[in-house]
Amino acid sequence: MEENLDKNNGVNKEKSYKANKSNSEEIKGPKSEKVINMNIDNSDSASRVVKNNEINIPVKPTIKPKKELPLEKKPFQEFINLHLIPSLTEEINKRGLEINNINLTNTSRPIAGDKCWVINCEIKDTCNFWLSFEKDDISSLKSISLSKPNQKPSIIESFLIDEKRITLKLIISRVLQRLNGQKLIGVN
């Protein structure tokens, strides 16, 4: 038991020595940043002091890279000339057919005669079709007309009137579906 008391006295003396030493350091003046950094692990107050002494560097906001516009949101003529016409040509060629001529013009719509944007496509020895857009917007009212080679179209039909979201793939698939429905590009 006496041994325990001696050990406790030794520990108590060491604690009081450390307490007196830290009190005398406080009287002398503020601790330097180096001393505070060494004492960070000892208490929460020391870490608060360090945070107050740190230099605040402004954080630059991260700039998000601009997302590429979806094809369908690009300007009308760019969408038609750079995406729709080449993709439609490729799909028709995959079916073993050859396109003599395909272009976009702002002209009179077949049969109706009103002025609008028209994609005129002539498929060699098969058919002609006219895909018309009322305005220079792919979501505007559209119509399609078909005819045999060297003939004028006799029917104009609405095209993609119930679709809320018009996409490149949708336009191509429906044109091909319409041509296939007339048995112009293959057998049903």
Side-chain angles (χ1 to χ4, degrees), residues 133-146:
F133 296 84
E134 188 175 275
K135 299 176 187 170
D136 60 347
D137 180 9
I138 64 167
S139 59
S140 67
L141 292 175
K142 293 168 281 308
S143 64
I144 191 167
S145 297
L146 304 166

Side-chain angles (χ1 to χ4, degrees), residues 71-72 78-95 99 102 119 121 129 167-173 175-176:
L71 296 177
E72 293 77 12
E78 180 182 341
F79 172 77
I80 299 294
N81 290 317
L82 298 180
H83 302 288
L84 180 59
I85 290 176
S87 298
L88 190 57
T89 302
E90 181 183 336
E91 287 296 322
I92 291 172
N93 289 339
K94 280 183 184 177
R95 286 159 175 73
I99 293 181
I102 185 167
I119 297 175
C121 180
F129 72 86
T167 64
L168 176 67
K169 288 183 179 181
L170 181 64
I171 294 171
I172 292 170
S173 71
V175 166
L176 295 174

Side-chain angles (χ1 to χ4, degrees), residues 63-115:
I63 299 172
K64 294 180 181 177
K66 291 184 180 178
K67 290 184 179 178
E68 178 96 14
L69 275 178
L71 296 177
E72 293 77 12
K73 298 288 183 185
K74 292 191 176 191
F76 178 76
Q77 290 191 18
E78 180 182 341
F79 172 77
I80 299 294
N81 290 317
L82 298 180
H83 302 288
L84 180 59
I85 290 176
S87 298
L88 190 57
T89 302
E90 181 183 336
E91 287 296 322
I92 291 172
N93 289 339
K94 280 183 184 177
R95 286 159 175 73
L97 301 170
E98 184 181 332
I99 293 181
N100 287 343
N101 182 29
I102 185 167
N103 58 34
L104 172 71
T105 55
N106 192 356
T107 187
S108 297
R109 183 188 328 237
I111 302 169
D114 58 328
K115 192 164 184 153

Side-chain angles (χ1 to χ4, degrees), residues 84 88 91 95 129 131 142 144 146 157-182 185:
L84 180 59
L88 190 57
E91 287 296 322
R95 286 159 175 73
F129 72 86
L131 179 59
K142 293 168 281 308
I144 191 167
L146 304 166
E157 300 176 29
S158 56
F159 186 76
L160 295 175
I161 57 171
D162 294 332
E163 303 298 329
K164 291 182 180 179
R165 186 166 174 249
I166 306 298
T167 64
L168 176 67
K169 288 183 179 181
L170 181 64
I171 294 171
I172 292 170
S173 71
R174 294 297 167 84
V175 166
L176 295 174
Q177 181 182 24
R178 189 67 194 98
L179 295 173
N180 192 40
Q182 294 295 315
I185 60 168

Side-chain angles (χ1 to χ4, degrees), residues 25-55:
E25 286 177 4
E26 287 177 6
I27 294 169
K28 289 179 186 176
K31 295 180 182 181
S32 68
E33 199 169 42
K34 289 181 183 177
V35 173
I36 292 172
N37 286 337
M38 288 192 288
N39 292 334
I40 286 176
D41 295 331
N42 292 344
S43 70
D44 287 335
S45 63
S47 62
R48 280 190 221 122
V49 172
V50 171
K51 288 180 183 175
N52 289 338
N53 287 337
E54 288 178 357
I55 299 172

